[in-house]
Amino acid sequence: SPVAETFRVIQGAMSEEYVRTTQGVFQFELSGDDGGTWYIDLKTKGGSAGLGKPPVTADVVMSMSSADFVKMFT
């Protein structure tokens, strides 16, 4: 799916540098195809991204359609 593929690319692009400089956790509440709760953790060592709630409390929660999410990251 486009959402899962976007998160796969995000996960692959993560680095300790991004985590060190960003220090933020982002939660996405997506509606539509492949909706649900997804996250990007740029605070915890190594960083992570994927489906579900983040491993630590989110600093930012964004609600949008899955189509808008994919557009935002492409």
Side-chain angles (χ1 to χ4, degrees), residues 14-26 40-44 47 59-60:
M14 279 192 187
S15 70
E16 287 294 337
E17 175 71 11
Y18 284 145
V19 173
R20 186 177 60 73
T21 59
T22 305
Q23 288 297 294
V25 178
F26 306 91
I40 301 172
D41 176 359
L42 292 172
K43 188 180 274 188
T44 306
D59 297 301
V60 177

Side-chain angles (χ1 to χ4, degrees), residues 11 13 18-19 28-29 31 34 39 43-45 48-50 60 64 69 73:
Q11 179 72 48
Y18 284 145
V19 173
F28 301 90
E29 296 297 335
S31 59
D34 297 310
Y39 74 93
K43 188 180 274 188
T44 306
K45 181 174 173 57
S48 61
V60 177
M64 66 186 74
F69 172 83
F73 277 92

